[in-house]
Amino acid sequence: MPQKRVSLHPLNKRVTLKVAARPLASSDKAVLLHEDGYQPVLYLPMTDIPDGLLAPSDTRTHCPHKGDARYFDLRLENATIKDAAWNYPVPIPGMEPLASLVAFYRDKLDAHKISLVEEVNGE
């Protein structure tokens, strides 16, 4: 069976997580993860997520290509989105940069009118 390919690429653009027009988190150190057979996934540094925005959930999963994932609920002023984000605190060898990054489910964000917006040249 062929080995599945997973690679990380810096985005080199500012990315902002917004609810309507209100920014929740922003980063210029976002990374795209490309994995054979899947759409690219955008990851932001955990250090760029404001304190209190993410709350650890009890959900855990395992990926043989990245490691064990833990999940987070996204806390908003008027709602909590269950398991909206995840990261790999102890990724498998070769995927170590994932330990400091977090990804968000776009479909869960879209359902709450939350967007991940790529900004070019500060626009």
Side-chain angles (χ1 to χ4, degrees):
M1 179 188 317
Q3 181 81 13
K4 186 172 269 205
R5 209 172 88 100
V6 178
S7 58
L8 300 170
H9 304 278
L11 189 59
N12 298 321
K13 294 180 183 177
R14 177 162 289 281
V15 174
T16 303
L17 177 64
K18 295 182 178 182
V19 175
R22 183 177 155 237
L24 295 179
S26 190
S27 179
D28 59 0
K29 295 180 180 102
V31 173
L32 275 179
L33 181 137
H34 295 273
E35 181 174 359
D36 290 349
Y38 295 96
Q39 292 290 320
V41 176
L42 183 68
Y43 282 79
L44 303 177
M46 292 286 284
T47 55
D48 289 342
I49 307 300
D51 289 342
L53 192 61
L54 297 177
S57 84
D58 293 331
T59 304
R60 303 286 187 269
T61 60
H62 175 77
C63 172
H65 309 290
K66 296 181 288 286
D68 293 328
R70 67 177 173 183
Y71 288 75
F72 299 90
D73 299 337
L74 179 62
R75 291 182 180 172
L76 304 173
E77 287 178 16
N78 55 358
T80 296
I81 305 170
K82 179 84 175 135
D83 296 333
W86 74 94
N87 92 319
Y88 295 91
V90 183
I92 66 168
M95 292 286 107
E96 290 87 351
L98 288 177
S100 63
L101 302 171
V102 62
F104 293 84
Y105 281 108
R106 285 188 182 262
D107 59 338
K108 290 187 180 194
L109 300 183
D110 290 344
H112 290 83
K113 296 185 174 45
I114 301 170
S115 60
L116 281 167
V117 179
E118 295 174 18
E119 300 174 12
V120 180
N121 299 326
E123 296 174 14

